[in-house]
Amino acid sequence: MASDAGRALEIVAHPDDDLFFINPDLQQSISSGHPVTTVYLTSGEGDGVDLDQHRVQALRSAGLPLPVNKPLYSEARQNGIRAAYALMATGTRTSPWRRTVIATAGGGQAELDILKAKPSVQLVWLEMKEAESISGYSPVSLHGLWDGNTSRVPSMLTTGTPVRKPFSYNKAQVIATLTGILEHYRPTLVRTQDPTPGQGRDLDHQDHIYGARFAQAALSRYAAVLPFPRRPHFTVQNYLGYQTSGFGDVLNAPAVQNKLQPLKAYAWADEHNDCKSSAGCGDLHVAASGPGQFHWADDIRYARGNSTTWMARGAGGRAEAFAVLDGQLALWREDSSGTRWSGPQLLPGTGLDPGVHSVTLADGRTAVFATQTAIGSTSSEYRRAVVYAVERAPGSGTFTPWRSLGAPAADTQDGTVAFSAPAVLTQPNGRMSVYVRDGNNTLRARYQTPAGSWTPWQHLGGTALHGDPVAAVAANGIGYVFAATPSTVTAWTLTQAGKITERAIATGVPTTTLALAAAPADRGVGLWFRQAGTGEIHTMTASTEADKLRVSPTVAVANTSGYGPAASCQAAVAGRTTTGDLTATDGSGHPRQSALRFSGAASSLCRPRGPQFGIIGWDAQLHLLA
């Protein structure tokens, strides 16, 4: 299988969000030679003090004032980012850049940096003012602009930028600016932060959240004003931010060391003045006195797009694959010979979030479930809902319009947006049930009635649930639902008659990295997860005896260290390695590896001729591995 092409565009709130939360994906794009552009919304000026915590404490203890200079500190962060990208692209952090000024579609100016040795690596600095607080409300910020509590956000120009003319943006101008950047670069993969992380333990920086919502709005505008084929199809990948440090470590030790190298360059860890700038060569706020200072260096977590159930066998055994391209559902279909695929065909309906779940109904039709974001014209109109579409006839490839199941909890503004992707079971009676982690980190469900309507959302309990729940039905008709917590995995069972257990059941599974996958297995349902700290795929089987949940001992799948969910077909497993490649085992411990890089997660089909795995590449196309 040949390596894919593709163009990646990152949109982040601050200098370093890409290094902490998107790497190693970012490094893999650069190393593979694909064009990479990163857009920084704000200057990240913070408190304007470019000192590590030891020096800050020493000054305070001596009763001396801190040296505050926001434009200078912002320039130091820019210098650090350029060093980090130069190191990732060329192996030396002092590789020079060409810094120029470009006009934006929003009426302002931005700095464009192009790496001379590798011009496909570019940085765009929009240089807007940041909120200067993680959660404390600052009206003159992206948050305030989104909510309508300020009319404009001004620029915060760094000391060394070639941009000399101050500017300000209103909400429409920020969206226009980002839309213009998308139109210029025309990426096949867009990486942004999580627009709906929730509150409490899920608290993230407000600039991360509202910067991601501005990116969402711009992507929606871009898809509408420049339709395919005037631009390539694109996928979107969202990343967790600050909250990811509260869970089991994702990356193994070698991957952490690789991630630390550009972080140390950014942090100006050695303090050699090789950038020849009076501002300094990096962000001393994060300069490490030890490896533990970089407390996001061992993590990368996708906020959406973790489904491994986006491939299905429809009528006559013909395979189908689904993905979200350009905010719409894309469908690929296998022909009757089983040798050719057609697609993608984009189905009506926009605003879909990354990641879909497909199930095959008793009559051979396919049902597809997703979440959909309505951006609206005001902040109060920003909403998400669980939606589904059903094939009109078996094998037809035509689907009903999207039908909404609403949000699992609508009691607060946060409850209407901060919930997971759905997990779906098809019961032996042919009816469906849908499960979602809500904004309070508990499980909710809706059940299809005999008449085809749906019950209201039912509360199933659980505590501290995170990530996306997963579900599967065993050969005996009993369904299982699993959801991860910071320390284990919780389970629920669904009887053949459609009755869910009234309480969450502790499985005893050890700490995972949150990314789960479930599928039918011998004598029950298998659960696949990654061991915290090693990234190795482990599996266990859940079954029911005398109405009691039985969980087998967990077993490691050899040669599978990596991150993200694992797709499975019986003993065969496929997933992402620590270097971003696709690896698949045949069940006997023999891995097959491809240099193909992909967004989201792999999916699988269990076929008479053996397992088949699919991925959506960085080129926004379907790729298959048999």
Side-chain angles (χ1 to χ4, degrees):
M1 189 159 48
S3 179
D4 64 325
R7 296 192 295 278
L9 180 77
E10 287 82 34
I11 302 174
V12 295
H14 311 116
D16 77 12
D17 291 342
D18 43 350
L19 302 180
F20 279 122
F21 308 123
I22 298 179
N23 247 351
D25 284 0
L26 170 63
Q27 171 74 77
Q28 292 159 13
S29 288
I30 294 173
S31 298
S32 64
H34 296 167
V36 175
T37 301
T38 301
V39 180
Y40 302 94
L41 298 175
T42 77
S43 289
E45 67 273 12
D47 61 5
V49 179
D50 192 20
L51 294 177
D52 64 45
Q53 293 305 307
H54 295 294
R55 295 174 190 175
V56 168
Q57 186 59 44
L59 287 174
R60 286 175 173 163
S61 298
L64 298 174
L66 299 179
V68 176
N69 190 319
K70 293 181 178 181
L72 200 69
Y73 175 49
S74 298
E75 173 67 9
R77 296 187 76 174
Q78 279 199 10
N79 290 336
I81 287 292
R82 281 186 285 269
Y85 273 74
L87 181 66
M88 289 188 287
T90 71
T92 174
R93 66 185 189 183
T94 56
S95 190
W97 296 78
R98 182 169 70 253
R99 301 175 64 181
T100 60
V101 179
I102 58 172
T104 70
Q109 293 182 333
E111 177 178 339
L112 171 63
D113 295 348
I114 300 174
L115 188 60
K116 292 181 179 180
K118 200 168 186 178
S120 61
V121 176
Q122 301 187 11
L123 310 174
V124 178
W125 306 91
L126 297 186
E127 299 196 84
M128 288 186 284
K129 179 185 179 299
E130 72 147 71
E132 301 180 11
S133 170
I134 294 175
S135 58
Y137 192 63
S138 173
V140 184
S141 64
L142 292 172
H143 187 175
L145 195 62
W146 183 268
D147 284 350
N149 291 329
T150 189
S151 60
R152 308 188 75 83
V153 168
S155 57
M156 170 59 70
L157 302 182
T158 70
T159 52
T161 182
V163 178
R164 292 289 179 257
K165 183 179 179 181
F167 55 86
S168 64
Y169 287 139
N170 61 28
K171 183 176 182 179
Q173 288 172 320
V174 174
I175 295 171
T177 293
L178 292 175
T179 304
I181 291 170
L182 290 163
E183 290 177 350
H184 176 76
Y185 287 100
R186 304 193 181 190
T188 57
L189 170 62
V190 179
R191 297 173 172 136
T192 79
Q193 295 168 277
D194 185 2
T196 55
Q199 301 297 322
R201 184 167 187 160
D202 288 337
L203 182 66
D204 199 4
H205 196 296
Q206 60 187 306
D207 284 342
H208 298 174
I209 298 169
Y210 290 93
R213 292 190 186 183
F214 273 107
Q216 269 187 312
L219 285 162
S220 177
R221 178 79 58 84
Y222 168 62
V225 301
L226 194 67
F228 180 84
R230 292 172 56 197
R231 53 151 175 83
H233 291 306
F234 64 87
T235 60
V236 177
Q237 187 79 71
N238 299 117
Y239 295 80
L240 289 185
Y242 287 164
Q243 67 273 39
T244 193
S245 63
F247 310 111
D249 295 345
V250 173
L251 300 175
N252 64 14
V256 171
Q257 290 305 310
N258 288 336
K259 184 171 177 176
L260 277 171
Q261 298 313 306
L263 275 169
K264 289 179 178 178
Y266 166 74
W268 195 21
D270 60 14
E271 298 192 34
H272 292 317
N273 193 17
D274 50 15
C275 67
K276 298 180 174 57
S277 169
S278 60
C281 301
D283 184 358
L284 292 174
H285 263 181
V286 296
S289 56
Q293 184 78 10
F294 295 98
H295 50 280
W296 297 295
D298 46 19
D299 290 316
I300 177 173
R301 284 187 173 87
Y302 302 139
R304 301 176 182 179
N306 287 311
S307 169
T308 63
T309 56
W310 49 268
M311 296 178 74
R313 293 181 66 187
R318 291 175 61 180
E320 300 170 319
F322 303 89
V324 176
L325 301 182
D326 315 345
Q328 294 181 250
L329 183 67
L331 166 65
W332 290 265
R333 301 184 72 214
E334 186 182 50
D335 67 10
S336 57
S337 70
T339 59
R340 293 175 178 267
W341 287 70
S342 61
Q345 170 194 353
L346 293 190
L347 304 185
T350 60
L352 295 185
D353 300 325
V356 296
H357 179 106
S358 65
V359 292
T360 303
L361 305 182
D363 61 3
R365 291 180 301 155
T366 301
V368 183
F369 288 75
T371 61
Q372 186 177 45
T373 297
I375 295 173
S377 57
T378 65
S379 61
S380 62
E381 294 174 344
Y382 184 88
R383 288 286 188 274
R384 294 178 68 219
V386 177
V387 295
Y388 75 105
V390 180
E391 197 173 22
R392 294 184 183 276
S396 68
T398 61
F399 286 76
T400 64
W402 290 103
R403 300 165 179 170
S404 177
L405 295 176
D411 50 342
T412 65
Q413 169 73 9
D414 193 57
T416 63
V417 297
F419 54 88
S420 72
V424 185
L425 292 177
T426 303
Q427 303 167 37
N429 58 21
R431 298 195 293 273
M432 295 179 286
S433 52
V434 181
Y435 306 87
V436 175
R437 171 192 49 78
D438 64 21
N440 296 317
N441 300 323
T442 64
L443 193 70
R444 304 250 183 170
R446 291 190 74 170
Y447 303 97
Q448 198 174 31
T449 69
S453 60
W454 292 82
T455 67
W457 285 103
Q458 309 291 313
H459 189 255
L460 302 184
T463 58
L465 306 182
H466 291 273
D468 296 330
V470 296
V473 178
N476 62 3
I478 295 178
Y480 297 81
V481 183
F482 303 97
T485 75
S487 59
T488 186
V489 173
T490 303
W492 291 258
T493 60
L494 185 75
T495 67
Q496 293 175 328
K499 181 180 179 181
I500 194 79
T501 52
E502 295 180 355
R503 60 182 178 83
I505 306 169
T507 64
V509 171
T511 302
T512 74
T513 63
L514 299 188
L516 308 177
D522 292 340
R523 299 183 301 278
V525 162
L527 180 72
W528 284 262
F529 57 91
R530 292 196 185 266
Q531 182 185 52
T534 70
E536 191 174 54
I537 297 171
H538 284 222
T539 183
M540 66 83 169
T541 300
S543 59
T544 302
E545 297 178 16
D547 295 329
K548 296 287 187 180
L549 180 71
R550 304 295 182 187
V551 177
S552 73
T554 62
V555 177
V557 181
N559 304 310
T560 55
S561 186
Y563 56 95
S568 64
C569 174
Q570 298 297 333
V573 180
R576 181 182 282 101
T577 69
T578 54
T579 56
D581 301 323
L582 174 66
T583 186
T585 68
D586 59 7
S588 58
H590 297 96
R592 293 169 294 157
Q593 194 158 315
S594 165
L596 190 65
R597 308 291 172 79
F598 57 100
S599 61
S603 188
S604 63
L605 290 173
C606 295
R607 320 195 74 162
R609 61 179 181 265
Q612 184 174 47
F613 297 102
I615 55 95
I616 305 300
W618 285 351
D619 58 355
Q621 296 296 322
L622 174 68
H623 298 266
L624 300 171
L625 178 67

